[in-house]
């Protein structure tokens, strides 16, 4: 009896966790550069005193969907999208280097280039500072930023920095609670000159809202089934106790 109840209860618990992952994906269906989380469940033996005769289910998010999202044309100078594989380097809230696909950049009053969440965008030599006011900003395919200062002659274009673009192996990366990616071993990824970007474009989320909704419904129905099994275990336990009273 306890086997039946234990399996059903742990299964229902993990169904709730799986639903949370799918709900988070749905909530970020419109988030620029978002990568959907993948979720799966597997059985795990329960170790303790005696032999491991019980198992429980465990939901895990072993990986992420690294497919590119749709390209959205904005024609804005500071909107940048990565073509294919690659990441922008930014500073997290602790000042550490992290990686993102969100190329919705903005320029602060002090000339520091940041993303829409106010995280400093990193270049090959650290944070990128742009002389302000500026005019005719251009971001080349290799991430090089060039501009003409306001009032300067039309032919005076100067390079002011280059975006740090990286492309480490996906297996070496992990997602943080802030949605940014980092190297799993805590190291810093090296810049990769093969990563290319497109200016005036943004990459949309790669979440498929229809698939996520279908998976959520499936998980909810599975949760309801687990609850029914727990009720059945309770009923069987009650009937067993009744038989013991008769005996």
């Amino acid at each position: 009896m306890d086997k039946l109840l234990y399996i059903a209860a742990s299964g229902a618990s993990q169904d709730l966790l799986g639903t949370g992952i799918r709900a988070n994906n749905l909530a970020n269906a419109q988030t620029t550069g978002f990568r959907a989380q993948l979720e799966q469940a597997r059985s795990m033996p329960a170790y303790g005193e005696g032999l491991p005769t019980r198992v429980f289910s465990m939901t895990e998010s072993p990986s992420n969907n690294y497919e590119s999202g749709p390209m959205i044309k904005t024609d804005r100078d500071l909107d940048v999208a990565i073509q294919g594989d690659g990441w922008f380097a930014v500073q997290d809230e602790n000042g550490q280097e992290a990686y993102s696909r969100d190329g919705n950049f903005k320029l602060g009053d002090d000339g520091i280039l940041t993303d829409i969440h106010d995280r400093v965008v990193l270049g090959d030599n650290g944070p990128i500072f742009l002389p302000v006011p500026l005019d005719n900003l251009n971001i080349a395919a290799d991430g090089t930023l060039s501009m003409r200062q306001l009032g300067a002659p039309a032919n005076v274009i100067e390079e002011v920095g280059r975006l740090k673009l990286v492309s480490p192996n996906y297996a070496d990366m992990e997602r943080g609670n802030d949605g940014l990616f980092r190297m799993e071993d805590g190291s810093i990824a090296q810049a990769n000159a093969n990563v290319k970007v497109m200016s005036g474009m943004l990459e949309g989320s790669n979440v498929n809202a229809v698939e996520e909704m279908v998976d959520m419904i499936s998980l909810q129905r599975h949760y309801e089934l687990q609850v029914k099994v727990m009720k059945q275990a309770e009923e069987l336990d009650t009937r067993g106790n009744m038989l013991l009273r008769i005996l």
Side-chain angles (χ1 to χ4, degrees), residues 39-51:
E39 162 267 329
Q40 69 179 25
R42 59 191 175 107
S43 60
M44 296 289 292
Y47 293 98
E49 296 182 4
L51 297 175

Side-chain angles (χ1 to χ4, degrees), residues 113-206:
L113 188 66
T114 66
D115 66 9
I116 196 64
H117 304 289
D118 294 322
R119 293 185 288 243
V120 175
V121 178
L122 298 177
D124 288 340
N125 300 310
I128 296 177
F129 295 87
L130 301 179
V132 289
L134 56 81
D135 188 22
N136 194 26
L137 176 67
N138 178 66
I139 302 178
D142 64 352
T144 299
L145 291 88
S146 57
M147 52 155 286
R148 177 171 63 88
Q149 285 190 311
L150 197 63
N155 61 341
V156 179
I157 303 295
E158 60 177 316
E159 293 185 4
V160 290
R162 180 179 176 182
L163 298 172
K164 182 178 180 180
L165 305 172
V166 303
S167 184
N169 292 328
Y170 294 140
D172 298 330
M173 304 183 73
E174 62 180 2
R175 184 200 296 262
N177 293 330
D178 54 3
L180 297 174
F181 288 77
R182 298 170 178 81
M183 300 301 292
E184 194 171 22
D185 60 2
S187 62
I188 300 300
Q190 297 299 313
N192 188 336
N194 295 322
V195 179
K196 302 301 179 184
V197 300
M198 292 184 292
S199 180
M201 305 282 287
L202 286 177
E203 179 188 9
S205 169
N206 70 350

Side-chain angles (χ1 to χ4, degrees), residues 20-97:
I21 292 175
R22 297 299 180 180
N24 181 63
N25 287 342
L26 274 176
N28 287 280
Q30 301 298 322
T31 301
T32 304
F34 182 78
R35 289 291 179 263
Q37 290 179 277
L38 302 178
E39 162 267 329
Q40 69 179 25
R42 59 191 175 107
S43 60
M44 296 289 292
Y47 293 98
E49 296 182 4
L51 297 175
T53 58
R54 304 292 185 271
V55 297
F56 65 94
S57 58
M58 182 179 72
T59 296
E60 57 184 1
S61 180
S63 184
N64 304 278
N65 181 358
Y66 291 108
E67 294 182 1
S68 297
M71 293 296 174
I72 304 168
K73 187 175 181 180
T74 65
D75 292 325
R76 179 172 173 268
D77 290 342
L78 289 176
D79 284 343
V80 190
I82 292 179
Q83 304 180 60
D85 296 335
W87 304 85
F88 299 110
V90 298
Q91 277 186 351
D92 63 17
E93 60 181 8
N94 297 318
Q96 303 299 314
E97 184 169 313

Side-chain angles (χ1 to χ4, degrees), residues 210-245:
V210 175
E211 288 184 1
E212 297 297 332
M213 282 296 299
V214 170
D215 288 336
M216 278 193 67
I217 293 172
S218 177
L219 285 168
Q220 289 169 353
R221 289 179 176 175
H222 193 258
Y223 174 81
E224 293 171 358
L225 177 62
Q226 302 283 23
V227 173
K228 289 180 180 179
V229 172
M230 285 189 282
K231 291 181 178 178
Q232 186 67 36
E234 181 183 10
E235 182 179 347
L236 290 173
D237 186 60
T238 301
R239 291 182 180 274
N241 289 335
M242 292 174 62
L243 287 175
L244 288 175
R245 292 195 192 100

